[in-house]
Amino acid sequence: MQTYNVFYLVSGDGEENQNISDTATLSFDAEDLDALFETLQEGEEDGSIQPELKTIAIEGDINIEYVLIYDSKGNEVFRKYSSIGQ
């Protein structure tokens, strides 16, 4: 079992809040990356993972996506967009 740090991007998804965004980092324990992705998908489906609670309040519709994942050694193991952090 190892701990993964998951970096989320929370952004407005409506006309009135489209230019508002924030980030949140949540930690999860999982056997491996596949098990982590299962946990993240289940949390998305049942609403048990709520990174928006760790960000500024964004009124209206929001979009939440995980964009970076690091393992317990600090190694990047997932990057959704190639331009993040570069």
Side-chain angles (χ1 to χ4, degrees):
M1 186 78 72
Q2 73 173 301
T3 301
Y4 292 92
N5 292 313
V6 181
F7 293 79
Y8 286 89
L9 176 63
V10 180
S11 56
D13 196 30
E15 188 173 312
E16 71 283 350
N17 65 2
Q18 66 184 354
N19 295 323
I20 301 172
S21 64
D22 199 0
T23 59
T25 304
L26 301 178
S27 295
F28 299 92
D29 290 327
E31 288 295 323
D32 56 26
L33 197 54
D34 289 334
L36 175 64
F37 284 127
E38 287 179 27
T39 299
L40 297 177
Q41 183 169 352
E42 289 172 9
E44 184 179 306
E45 291 170 359
D46 67 14
S48 63
I49 298 175
Q50 300 177 323
E52 68 274 18
L53 298 178
K54 304 262 186 198
T55 64
I56 60 172
I58 301 175
E59 298 292 324
D61 295 333
I62 59 173
N63 183 45
I64 302 168
E65 57 186 338
Y66 53 89
V67 293
L68 287 169
I69 300 175
Y70 288 88
D71 66 15
S72 59
K73 296 176 184 170
N75 298 314
E76 182 181 296
V77 295
F78 174 83
R79 177 183 290 257
K80 185 164 187 175
Y81 302 109
S82 61
S83 62
I84 294 174
Q86 296 181 357

